[in-house]
Amino acid sequence: MHVVVTGALVENGAVLLVHRSPARRAYPDLWDLPGGDVEAGESELQALVREMREELGVQIVAESSSRLGDLHAGSGDDAVHVCVWHVGDWAGSPTNRAPDEHDDIAWVGISELDALPLVNGSLVALLRCNPFGGGGRNRRTARL
């Protein structure tokens, strides 16, 4: 089974999403949380830290991250296990550092997620039933 980590950066009631490029082989032209593959020898949290740095240019505070849940897609050799994490704190302003993978990033209100074409529709329920109550935090700190 293929294991992927994704990170929900939430601020002022909005979550940061990436729009997968229409040229992508898997799930093209859909919105998703940023993230990627867990590499051999990496923990999920290590992969999350690396992916947020590579894709968004932010340094997450690993201790502020908590696992929200798991999503599953595909079957057999194409099965994907997606581990969804809430990132409570990070340093830097998110920018699209992976333009070959994503053609846009956007802060989207959690109440507006139903209107978007998402990679996994279960993501909406997962984000709405989270420990931050859908509101997120009001500010970031720059602890590293």
Side-chain angles (χ1 to χ4, degrees):
M1 179 173 290
H2 190 70
V3 180
V4 171
V5 293
T6 61
L9 281 69
V10 179
E11 189 169 62
N12 298 321
V15 63
L16 186 72
L17 296 180
V18 295
H19 185 261
R20 295 175 63 87
S21 170
R24 296 288 302 265
R25 182 183 61 81
Y27 306 105
D29 204 25
L30 296 173
W31 289 93
D32 199 6
L33 291 172
D37 297 332
V38 176
E39 295 179 357
E42 251 182 347
S43 70
E44 288 179 19
L45 194 51
Q46 289 169 329
L48 183 66
V49 169
R50 178 183 49 76
E51 287 289 344
M52 296 302 104
R53 185 181 60 249
E54 290 175 0
E55 291 194 5
L56 301 174
V58 298
Q59 181 64 44
I60 69 169
V61 178
E63 298 78 24
S64 76
S65 301
S66 59
R67 191 160 174 167
L68 290 177
D70 301 289
L71 302 172
H72 299 277
S75 62
D77 290 342
D78 294 327
V80 178
H81 178 176
V82 181
C83 309
V84 182
W85 289 75
H86 170 245
V87 178
D89 203 4
W90 65 92
S93 295
T95 58
N96 185 7
R97 297 276 177 102
D100 53 322
E101 297 179 25
H102 313 117
D103 59 6
D104 197 7
I105 66 172
W107 290 100
V108 178
I110 291 175
S111 62
E112 301 167 4
L113 291 173
D114 288 322
L116 291 178
L118 298 171
V119 166
N120 191 320
S122 300
L123 180 62
V124 175
L126 190 59
L127 289 171
R128 286 191 177 142
C129 298
N130 60 57
F132 46 85
R137 62 195 177 133
N138 292 321
R139 65 178 195 66
R140 294 188 308 264
T141 58
R143 291 178 290 147
L144 289 179

